[in-house]
């Protein structure tokens, strides 16, 4: 794809790798074309979705971009997420919330049992929020169509009632 200034643009999907530790999880995002953190952005949405993006020039007239969304489970403390970039790897540390279950040692078993379920729920929440937005737009469009139809019918009725028959 070519941009306005004539540069070539490419999109890619970075590879990711999870590491699970006792008090936190680490997401490693491999970015071989990025040599420094310039152009990288890591954000967490209000809905618990980690958004990672990057935009960089690799040669004079070539740009590369990526965008990735990853749902974050409720057992992570989103206010304490940290990221650093080193040797073409973006390391995002997601600390886990401290709960009563984690103090008695049963948290690890409980976490393993529910981890896959929570990630699935996180994906569904992301999909459902998109579905809700689509549903809102569809309902708004339907309401507009109904109002325009009603006004058109009323205008036609007024027009027909004002015509005087000979």
């Amino acid at each position: 794809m070519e941009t306005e200034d004539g540069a070539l643009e490419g999109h890619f999907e970075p590879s990711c790798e999870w590491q699970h530790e006792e008090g936190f999880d680490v997401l490693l995002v491999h970015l071989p074309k990025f040599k420094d953190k310039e152009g990288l952005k890591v954000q967490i949405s209000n809905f618990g979705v980690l958004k990672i993006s990057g935009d960089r020039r690799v040669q004079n007239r070539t740009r590369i971009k990526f965008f990735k969304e990853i749902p974050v489970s409720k057992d992570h403390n989103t206010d304490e997420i940290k990221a650093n970039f080193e040797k073409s790897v973006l390391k995002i540390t997601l600390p886990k919330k401290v709960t009563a279950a984690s103090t008695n040692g049963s948290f690890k078993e409980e976490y393993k049992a529910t981890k896959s379920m929570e990630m699935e729920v996180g994906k569904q929440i992301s999909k459902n929020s998109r579905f809700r937005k689509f549903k809102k737009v569809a309902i708004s469009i339907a309401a507009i169509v109904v109002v325009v139809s009603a006004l058109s019918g009323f205008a036609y009725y007024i027009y027909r009632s004002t015509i005087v028959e000979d």
Side-chain angles (χ1 to χ4, degrees):
M1 180 187 290
E2 206 168 305
T3 61
E4 291 176 2
D5 61 355
L8 296 175
E9 187 176 275
H11 296 273
F12 75 100
E13 183 72 22
S15 65
C16 296
E17 169 186 348
W18 281 99
Q19 294 177 350
H20 303 287
E21 303 292 331
E22 184 68 32
F24 57 91
D25 290 330
V26 176
L27 175 64
L28 300 174
V29 183
H30 300 280
L31 303 165
K33 302 274 184 182
F34 285 76
K35 302 301 177 206
D36 55 29
K37 65 181 181 179
E38 187 176 328
L40 293 176
K41 189 184 287 188
V42 178
Q43 299 172 309
I44 187 83
S45 75
N46 292 339
F47 302 109
V49 176
L50 186 64
K51 296 179 180 186
I52 309 163
S53 62
D55 182 4
R56 181 177 191 287
R57 281 199 188 278
V58 277
Q59 295 173 351
N60 285 343
R61 296 176 47 84
T62 306
R63 295 185 79 83
I64 56 170
K65 291 182 176 187
F66 75 92
F67 181 76
K68 194 159 190 70
E69 287 185 339
I70 299 167
V72 176
S73 67
K74 298 273 187 212
D75 66 333
H76 288 103
N77 187 352
T78 56
D79 294 332
E80 299 294 323
I81 292 175
K82 292 184 175 35
N84 66 5
F85 184 79
E86 187 177 312
K87 297 181 183 175
S88 297
V89 176
L90 178 62
K91 180 180 177 182
I92 303 170
T93 305
L94 299 105
K96 296 176 185 172
K97 292 180 180 176
V98 178
T99 63
S102 65
T103 57
N104 66 14
S106 67
F107 176 72
K108 199 168 192 174
E109 291 81 20
E110 183 182 325
Y111 176 74
K112 285 180 182 177
T114 61
K115 179 66 177 171
S116 61
M117 185 188 320
E118 287 176 354
M119 291 305 277
E120 221 25 67
V121 168
K123 289 178 186 174
Q124 289 174 355
I125 289 170
S126 179
K127 288 178 185 174
N128 286 344
S129 65
R130 288 182 185 151
F131 175 72
R132 276 191 230 119
K133 288 178 186 176
F134 176 76
K135 186 177 168 183
K136 265 186 179 177
V137 169
I139 289 172
S140 297
I141 290 171
I144 290 170
V145 168
V146 167
V147 169
V148 168
S149 297
L151 288 174
S152 297
F154 181 71
Y156 181 73
Y157 170 76
I158 296 295
Y159 172 76
R160 294 292 289 170
S161 64
T162 58
I163 295 177
V164 178
E165 291 187 28
D166 291 332

